[in-house]
Amino acid sequence: MGEPVPHIALKGTLKHDGWACWQDRTDHRLWPIGAAIAAGLAQAGADVILLARAADQLDEADNAIRATASGVEVCIVTSDPTNDTQRTTAIDDLLSGGPVDVLINNAATVEPLGASATISPAQLRQAFEIIVIAPAVLSPWARVR
């Protein structure tokens, strides 16, 4: 049946600087949710790939994960999930290291905010790209067992 999945030491959702975060039980570090999941997997021995639009957030998560998990590979990919060309390049980058066993799709947005009459079709399309299209395009690349 394989090895048991180790427990990832994360607790309750927090808000910090407008971000939903998890707090690590061991060092009380605040992590954005995706980075927290990646850190927990890395601490359990998994190699991880981080994909996001913001290179500074990726670098911060990369450094934090490397500081808390030794002996694992951390790969970062900067990509806008709403851009078809960048998504295709990201998929190629993701698959260059072999199959992906676990894919955590947690890209989200609360935008657009406001009365429905004030929200443009372009704003709705942008939100739909982030919440629906990007995960649907990226998900098939995770290995099915």
Side-chain angles (χ1 to χ4, degrees):
M1 278 233 149
E3 297 179 32
V5 177
H7 174 72
I8 299 173
L10 302 172
K11 68 177 182 180
T13 304
L14 304 172
K15 281 287 194 178
H16 179 70
D17 293 337
W19 291 90
C21 296
W22 289 89
Q23 186 170 23
D24 189 290
R25 288 182 182 160
T26 56
D27 65 6
H28 304 289
R29 178 188 313 244
L30 292 175
W31 298 81
I33 291 173
I37 294 168
L41 291 169
Q43 290 164 8
D47 294 333
V48 295
I49 302 168
L50 309 173
L51 184 145
R53 287 176 284 198
D56 59 330
Q57 289 177 343
L58 284 170
D59 289 339
E60 184 179 335
D62 178 33
N63 292 332
I65 290 169
R66 289 178 191 277
T68 61
S70 60
V72 298
E73 197 171 314
V74 180
C75 174
I76 60 172
V77 178
T78 304
S79 177
D80 181 349
T82 67
N83 179 297
D84 288 335
T85 303
Q86 288 187 33
R87 268 196 310 252
T88 300
T89 301
I91 289 168
D92 291 342
D93 288 347
L94 294 172
L95 296 178
S96 69
V100 174
D101 293 316
V102 177
L103 177 65
I104 309 297
N105 274 318
N106 75 311
T109 183
V110 296
E111 303 289 333
L113 297 175
S116 296
T118 65
I119 298 171
S120 73
Q123 290 173 302
L124 290 174
R125 280 187 202 95
Q126 180 75 8
F128 195 77
E129 282 282 337
I130 293 169
I131 297 169
V132 178
I133 302 296
V137 172
L138 292 171
S139 292
W141 298 105
R143 180 186 343 200
V144 177
R145 291 186 189 242

